[in-house]
Amino acid sequence: MAELVAAFLFIGVVAYAVLGGADFGAGFWDLLAGGARRGREPRHLIDVSLAPVWEANHTWLIYCLVVLWTAFPPAFAAITTTLYIPLILALLGIVLRGAGFAFRKATVRTEEQRLYGAAFALSSVLTPYCFGAIAGGLASGRVPTGGNGDAISSWVNPSSILGGILAVLACSYLAATYLTVEALHRDDQKLYRYFRDRAIAAGAVTGAVSIAGIFVLQADSPRLFDRLSGPALPLVVLAAVGGLVGLALLWARRTVGTRVAAAGAVALVIVGWGVAQTPYLLGTHLSITEAAAPDTTLAVVVGVAIVAGLLIVPSLVLLFRLSSRGAVSVDDRPFRGGVTEGERGSGEGMTEGDGSAAGAAGRSSAAALTKGTRGTGVKTTRTPAVPLDPATVRSRPRRWVPYALCAGAVTATAVAGARATRPDARWYRELNTPDWQPPPWAFGAVWTPLYASVAVAGGRALNAARGPQRKALAGEFAANLALNAGWSNLFFRLRSPLAGLAGTLLLDASNVRLLARVARTDRKAAVVLLPYVAWCAYATCLNASIVARNHEPRHRGPARS
């Protein structure tokens, strides 16, 4: 159970590094964008890309802190009483960053905008550096089990400095990659070249620092070095390959897969660090089981994490989808709007202003953004706002309803299956299982994102379907989820691997039907379902192997406990 909770905790760390890291990297490029006139267009793209999602990405930080505090209180106490200086600096940076980002667009005077812009940019560099320094202090074993370690050397050391620099570089690489793709979506060739060159440079520098960091780790963190060159080496190699693929896609002007390759490279680096540090939470001491809370507390954390994942992940996916389509806006500026000729010619606007007539003209032209313009330099005029007809608003399809229904159905399925599953039962532990069966904690870590993918695919496919096709698709999803929850009851409650095999074969057949029906409606939703279908097929092979190894009827009969 403790290993499962640790896996959930690390999923949150990876998600925050990939999503929140891109936000911090955007502030890094804001810092280097130059003066008001030269940096106006890059800052405008950063503003419109960042504004809809930057607050939501911090959900993962809160998630990580709550899980660490609740599930591993000794580790939380040791970290907070030793690394309190970088933690305070990071939290202060997050607050200043948010305030600077919000206030610099609400102020008029140039001096104030420069002040808030500097707070936003500098905090965007300080915060990831502190998080990287914390990771370096943990990995090098400088946090004692009892806490109250050295407040300075715990995060001012070679491993922490390396971790801080790599964190800033990785965030800048992610942000430049995302902004390059966004510029391509807007058909803005100038900004595409601007951010593409910076993404390639950031990726190259990150790779060079990573290679140099090998020698730093060998001298300062020998255990981490040995583990990275041993069990975690495949992940390190895959991370390097992902980074090279991302750079190649950037150079080839490809939008499909570019962000995935960049995010995958950074995620694999984080996962490699986690594998290298296992089974210790503090790098070289205090194992996961030693730091874990009682099993009753861990069980509650697992349940809350599953439910939270099923609710939050689809919501974040929907937010990112709406943001990319320009359906989310702030004030009167739609986020998919381009920069007009009037905006390009003025030196002031969203980022800089002087409160004079020229600044007012720049702000007036900034308000002339219209949805659908892709920054091609075409003149636009502002259309007066027209009040929406309430009848028209009511008649619009509520696209969030299928997502909410699918999330609720998947949550019920996950809860029903979890209540029936008892991997700690004596009869199950006595089964002869194959060597390639994953550890018990791995199933929860895998099923959580798989259930989330089913909810996302279901909502997307139901939105695309119409009439009888939609009803048939909803029925197919309901039948599939019923078979999914039924397998746990057949296998664990009846204590019958054979009955479980029959149930998972029916589930595989339902998966094939569901995948085919979804593909006819929405191919992207079908792609999202592929990992779920593949894992169910793997579970069938595992169940069949258990049946073959335990063909005696001694495990039959209903469960009594």
Side-chain angles (χ1 to χ4, degrees):
M1 183 70 75
E3 289 82 0
L4 175 60
V5 177
F8 281 148
L9 173 62
F10 211 71
I11 290 173
V13 173
V14 173
Y16 188 59
V18 172
L19 299 175
D23 291 349
F24 292 123
F28 175 84
W29 297 119
D30 187 290
L31 179 65
L32 301 182
R37 187 177 299 274
R38 183 163 62 91
R40 185 170 184 278
E41 292 182 16
R43 288 192 177 103
H44 177 261
L45 183 62
I46 291 171
D47 284 342
V48 298
S49 302
L50 194 64
V53 297
W54 69 276
E55 291 178 293
N57 288 333
H58 290 303
T59 302
W60 296 109
L61 177 61
I62 299 172
Y63 167 86
C64 292
L65 291 175
V66 170
V67 173
L68 180 62
W69 177 19
T70 308
F72 305 103
F76 182 85
I79 293 171
T80 53
T81 57
T82 301
L83 296 167
Y84 58 88
I85 293 179
L87 283 171
I88 291 174
L89 290 176
L91 295 177
L92 180 62
I94 291 174
V95 173
L96 292 177
R97 182 176 180 274
F101 183 75
F103 289 152
R104 74 171 180 177
K105 294 188 296 184
T107 56
V108 176
R109 298 181 60 185
T110 302
E111 294 79 4
E112 294 176 348
Q113 289 186 346
R114 286 175 177 170
L115 174 63
Y116 293 133
F120 164 70
L122 293 174
S123 300
S124 297
V125 176
L126 174 65
T127 302
Y129 179 86
C130 290
F131 283 137
I134 291 170
L138 289 173
S140 59
R142 288 182 165 87
V143 178
T145 302
N148 297 301
D150 192 291
I152 303 299
S153 63
S154 59
W155 69 287
V156 182
N157 57 76
S159 296
S160 292
I161 293 173
L162 174 64
I165 293 174
L166 281 177
V168 174
L169 291 175
C171 291
S172 64
Y173 167 63
L174 278 176
T177 302
Y178 292 177
L179 291 169
T180 301
V181 176
E182 183 66 20
L184 275 178
H185 286 165
R186 294 168 179 267
D187 295 331
D188 194 319
Q189 298 300 317
K190 180 181 177 181
L191 286 179
Y192 159 72
R193 291 189 295 270
Y194 179 92
F195 283 111
R196 182 201 64 182
D197 295 344
R198 283 155 178 76
I200 294 174
V205 173
T206 303
V209 173
S210 300
I211 295 173
I214 294 175
F215 303 99
V216 176
L217 294 179
Q218 188 176 16
D220 192 63
S221 304
R223 183 184 183 276
L224 180 63
F225 172 80
D226 293 339
R227 297 281 294 177
L228 285 174
S229 58
L233 183 60
L235 295 172
V236 175
V237 174
L238 287 175
V241 172
L244 292 174
V245 170
L247 294 178
L249 292 173
L250 282 172
W251 187 261
R253 296 173 53 87
R254 302 292 184 184
T255 58
V256 178
T258 303
R259 287 178 289 192
V260 175
V266 174
L268 286 171
V269 171
I270 305 296
V271 174
W273 166 55
V275 171
Q277 191 163 310
T278 305
Y280 299 113
L281 281 176
L282 300 182
T284 59
H285 49 278
L286 189 62
S287 66
I288 295 173
T289 55
E290 292 172 347
D295 288 343
T296 53
T297 302
L298 296 179
V300 173
V301 172
V302 170
V304 172
I306 292 175
V307 174
L310 294 174
L311 294 176
I312 294 175
V313 172
S315 301
L316 291 177
V317 171
L318 179 60
L319 174 62
F320 294 145
R321 297 283 299 177
L322 293 175
S323 174
S324 64
R325 294 174 180 174
V328 184
S329 62
V330 173
D331 298 331
D332 60 349
R333 293 183 292 270
F335 283 122
R336 293 294 292 180
V339 184
T340 65
E341 282 185 355
E343 286 182 282
R344 293 180 185 273
S346 65
E348 310 295 336
M350 293 182 64
T351 309
E352 302 289 345
D354 59 0
S356 62
R363 289 187 299 274
S364 298
S365 62
L369 300 172
T370 57
K371 183 176 180 179
T373 306
R374 297 183 175 270
T376 57
V378 179
K379 288 186 177 181
T380 59
T381 56
R382 182 170 181 174
T383 303
V386 179
L388 293 176
D389 183 3
T392 304
V393 174
R394 286 194 297 268
S395 65
R396 293 177 179 174
R398 297 180 178 179
R399 298 181 64 85
W400 59 270
V401 173
Y403 286 99
L405 293 176
C406 288
V410 169
T411 302
T413 301
V415 172
R419 288 178 61 86
T421 302
R422 298 178 181 179
D424 57 343
R426 181 178 179 182
W427 75 271
Y428 179 75
R429 294 198 304 267
E430 292 177 352
L431 290 174
N432 183 9
T433 57
D435 297 335
W436 44 276
Q437 174 172 310
W441 60 265
F443 289 96
V446 171
W447 272 110
T448 300
L450 289 181
Y451 277 135
S453 68
V454 172
V456 172
R460 184 183 177 95
L462 290 176
N463 270 326
R466 292 292 182 269
Q469 185 186 25
R470 192 175 194 179
K471 293 182 180 179
L473 188 59
E476 198 71 50
F477 265 106
N480 186 273
L481 293 178
L483 289 172
N484 187 301
W487 176 87
S488 300
N489 290 275
L490 293 174
F491 190 98
F492 286 98
R493 289 194 182 276
L494 295 182
R495 299 185 179 182
S496 174
L498 184 60
L501 178 60
T504 191
L505 287 172
L506 290 174
L507 179 59
D508 288 334
S510 175
N511 285 340
V512 174
R513 286 175 51 88
L514 179 63
L515 189 64
R517 192 180 292 274
V518 170
R520 290 195 295 267
T521 304
D522 190 311
R523 291 185 179 180
K524 290 184 178 180
V527 172
V528 173
L529 275 178
L530 284 177
Y532 169 73
V533 175
W535 180 262
C536 290
Y538 167 77
T540 301
C541 296
L542 181 60
N543 199 330
S545 177
I546 293 176
V547 171
R549 291 166 176 263
N550 303 269
H551 56 277
E552 300 87 0
R554 57 190 175 94
H555 297 301
R556 298 292 182 86
R560 296 181 179 273
S561 61

